[in-house]
Amino acid sequence: PVQVKLDQYKIADFNPSTGQYKFDYDITTYNFNLESQNINGSSISEQLETNGLDMTFCRFIELELKFLIKSIHITKQDSISGSVPECFIFDVKLIYSYKGR
């Protein structure tokens, strides 16, 4: 699963006639896990909706994604000698931030 943390403003409205934004500067934080295929077969966009997320760009402050990548390195020598292959786990954290803008 991908661990998700999203910070966004509670409300952000855009008035197209004036070109101005109106913000409620209270911040809402969402924490949840995304599965590539949920048990009930829902897509990632459906999972976002289930968690009550509105991914409106103007409300976006910061998005953090954390996940693991597991890898096995098998060489020809390993297969010939019967050695145990090298195993790697990479902890990945991606942060998309608009703080300080």
Side-chain angles (χ1 to χ4, degrees):
V2 176
Q3 296 175 355
V4 179
K5 179 182 176 243
L6 173 68
D7 294 332
Q8 62 183 182
Y9 297 116
K10 284 187 179 179
I11 299 171
D13 291 321
F14 176 69
N15 183 338
S17 63
T18 64
Q20 294 182 335
Y21 287 93
K22 179 181 177 186
F23 290 97
D24 175 348
Y25 288 99
D26 291 330
I27 296 173
T28 302
T29 299
Y30 298 93
N31 291 291
F32 60 94
N33 290 331
L34 281 178
E35 304 288 340
S36 60
Q37 187 72 26
N38 207 341
I39 294 170
N40 62 7
S42 64
S43 68
I44 289 176
S45 58
E46 290 169 331
Q47 291 179 61
L48 292 173
E49 289 176 17
T50 300
N51 284 287
L53 289 178
D54 172 12
M55 296 296 287
T56 307
F57 182 75
C58 64
R59 294 176 55 198
F60 176 83
I61 300 170
E62 185 170 271
L63 174 67
E64 182 178 294
L65 305 172
K66 294 194 310 188
F67 54 93
L68 295 176
I69 297 176
K70 297 179 181 181
S71 175
I72 299 174
H73 182 237
I74 301 173
T75 65
K76 186 176 181 180
Q77 184 62 34
D78 291 336
S79 59
I80 293 171
S81 68
S83 307
V84 176
E86 292 182 288
C87 299
F88 300 96
I89 296 177
F90 301 96
D91 291 315
V92 180
K93 183 178 186 179
L94 301 174
I95 299 173
Y96 300 94
S97 180
Y98 283 93
K99 288 183 177 179
R101 285 191 170 230

